[in-house]
Amino acid sequence: PPPGPIPPPPPPAGSQAYEPRAGSNLVSLAAHLSAAESLGLAEELATRTGNRAFVDSAFSHWQMMEADPLIEGPLRDEIVATLRVRKGLPPQLPPLEQSRTPQPPCQ
């Protein structure tokens, strides 16, 4: 017997909706991403698919973080390192003495 249609792959982890379009190679995927995770997504998707896929994003909702990003700790360190690397800086913060700009004395 001739082979039947190829079943679609399973939905990616974390996806909210995964809809293969019947009779085509198109797939619609809906997922919740944090704003930080979505940065660069369109460029990466275009690169990996040879510009055959695109991103259409919309704001969905707010969600509280589990920890305070302003308090020293692993969450804050990860956020700072990620932002610094994205900006082309070394991930580690420089010592405070190196980051100060001398100020002229007050008159």
Side-chain angles (χ1 to χ4, degrees):
I6 298 172
S15 61
Q16 302 296 316
Y18 182 81
E19 301 172 16
R21 304 289 186 206
S24 76
N25 292 332
L26 297 178
V27 174
S28 177
L29 173 68
H32 290 154
L33 298 174
S34 70
E37 291 172 320
S38 70
L39 297 174
L41 176 63
E43 294 81 9
E44 174 125 7
L45 186 60
T47 299
R48 289 185 179 219
T49 64
N51 290 317
R52 292 177 296 177
F54 62 92
V55 173
D56 182 21
S57 61
F59 177 77
S60 172
H61 63 279
W62 292 103
Q63 183 175 343
M64 294 296 292
M65 297 179 76
E66 294 178 16
D68 188 342
L70 301 178
I71 295 176
E72 186 173 346
L75 176 64
R76 192 224 35 201
D77 296 345
E78 179 183 345
I79 292 170
V80 169
T82 302
L83 291 171
R84 289 182 59 82
V85 167
R86 188 179 311 132
K87 292 181 177 208
L89 300 169
Q92 297 300 322
L93 287 172
L96 185 58
E97 297 76 34
Q98 290 180 4
S99 63
R100 288 191 184 173
T101 304
Q103 298 295 318
C106 295
Q107 301 268 339

